DNA sequence: CGATTTTGACCTGCGC
DNA sequence: GCGCAGGTCAAAATCG
């Protein structure tokens, strides 16, 4: 796993803290489980209490205020997101109309790599349905029925230029069934089927980007009809109980590109704007999050983190926002001298046992 | 030994 | 009709 998938929690702490006796008393409660990175704020609140109940109260007030502000920010962002999503859907339907009017009844046309796959395939799949011969419809009934609502998305994953393996780890189980050298790309294209469930119709194609050989482009077709075999990494903030409760589970989340978001990505490559969030036009829960300087190769550990399109049971819009939120919180916490002092005290007392992520 | 990968052959659609 | 290109199949090879 790429270490960039994790929030940087390095605090530059000294392991020789100047904690007070009060802090030690507070930390002598043997019933408490070991503190993890995900409950750092709890450790902070506990240790800050070492300075006295007044300090603890102030700290709690401050955290409550911060929590309130973050909640308000979340509300505003959700509203903005909904408005933007509605706009994207509107644009998508307009695009589909244009394609339909142009009568692009080409049964198969090599989809360009510049991010027009979804609309083209959606438009052609419906027309191709009526043009298959009886033999073909006999041979591919399942495929056609699934193509009607075929969902196509693209995932970009940074890779080493010299790495010839066409592997995109997304948590699912894939069986490779073919590899082809395509005309417009010196890198071969690998074909995979989802092998986690025998009836799962999802396929993916993996090929290095012709423009950026350090980017692997995986094109997913269809939707999984089963649960994700590995739980994705989700950072959950329980706002009802304040920012003290942050829990984590596991996964890596690649960048999902579909038609619209890849256009946004293309635009971003040329504009070098700050952190950008792009939305999917073809999915209900796609979203993509890019770090600044995310063009190929330069900062692979920062390059791409976004929603996986194939985890229908997870709301990745919220997850990505939460990741961003947690990064901000971690950043603000690490700048807080009270917090670092308190955390150092907690570590020295042997109560802080962060989990080591598996890469 | 079962699962997965490799790879050449085959199928299908499209353009000329 | 023919050739090209993308996609799939399936037997052989490889891996754990």
């Amino acid at each position: 796993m790429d270490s960039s998938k994790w929030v940087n929690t390095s605090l530059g702490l000294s392991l020789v803290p100047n904690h007070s006796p009060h802090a030690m008393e507070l930390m002598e409660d043997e019933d408490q489980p070991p503190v993890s990175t995900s409950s750092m704020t709890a450790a902070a609140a506990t240790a800050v209490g070492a300075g006295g109940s007044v300090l603890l109260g102030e700290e709690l007030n401050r955290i409550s205020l911060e929590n309130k502000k973050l909640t308000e920010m979340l509300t505003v962002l959700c509203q903005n997101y909904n408005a933007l999503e509605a706009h994207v859907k509107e644009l998508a339907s307009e695009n589909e109309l244009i394609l339909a009017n142009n009568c692009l009844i080409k049964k198969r046309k090599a989809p360009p790599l510049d991010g027009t796959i979804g609309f083209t395939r959606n438009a052609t799949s419906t027309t191709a349905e009526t043009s298959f011969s009886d033999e073909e419809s006999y041979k591919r009934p399942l495929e056609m029925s699934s193509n009607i609502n075929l969902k196509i998305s693209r995932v970009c994953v940074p890779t080493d230029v010299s790495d010839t393996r066409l592997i995109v780890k997304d948590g699912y189980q894939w069986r490779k069934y073919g590899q082809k050298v395509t005309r417009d790309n010196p890198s071969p294209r690998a074909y995979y089927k989802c092998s986690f469930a025998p009836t799962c119709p999802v396929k993916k194609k993996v090929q290095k980007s012709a423009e950026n050989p350090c980017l692997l482009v995986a094109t997913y077709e269809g939707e999984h009809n089963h649960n994700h075999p590995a739980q994705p990494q989700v950072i959950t903030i329980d706002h009802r109980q304040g920012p003290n409760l942050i829990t984590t589970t596991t996964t890596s989340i690649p960048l999902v590109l579909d038609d619209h978001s890849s256009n946004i990505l293309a635009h971003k490559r040329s504009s070098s704007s700050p952190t950008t969030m792009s939305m999917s036009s073809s999915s209900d829960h796609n979203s993509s999050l890019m770090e600044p300087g995310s063009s190929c190769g330069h900062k692979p550990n920062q390059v791409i983190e976004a929603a996986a399109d194939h985890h229908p049971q997870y709301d990745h819009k919220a997850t990505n926002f939460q990741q961003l939120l947690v990064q901000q919180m971690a950043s603000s916490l690490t700048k807080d001298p009270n917090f670092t002092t308190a955390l150092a005290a907690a570590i020295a007392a042997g109560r802080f046992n962060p989990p080591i992520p598996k890469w």
Side-chain angles (χ1 to χ4, degrees), chain A residues 331-348:
Chain A
S331 172
S332 64
L333 281 171
T334 53
K335 288 173 187 169
D336 184 347
N338 287 340
F339 171 76
T340 52
T341 304
L343 190 57
I347 292 171

Side-chain angles (χ1 to χ4, degrees), chain A residues 113 153-157 159 163-170 174-182 185 187-193 203-210 215-221:
Chain A
L113 289 172
S153 61
R154 295 203 298 158
V155 173
C156 288
V157 177
T159 184
D163 191 353
T164 56
R165 297 172 304 166
L166 297 169
I167 298 173
V168 174
K169 292 177 182 175
D170 52 16
W174 301 94
R175 184 177 61 81
K176 189 177 181 180
Y177 67 90
Q179 181 165 317
K180 269 282 190 189
V181 175
T182 56
N185 195 329
S187 169
R189 177 185 298 168
Y191 299 88
Y192 295 90
K193 285 178 181 172
K203 295 174 187 175
K204 81 169 174 182
K205 294 177 280 189
V206 180
Q207 188 174 32
K208 282 191 176 180
S209 168
L215 267 188
L216 271 180
V217 180
T219 306
Y220 293 86
E221 298 183 10

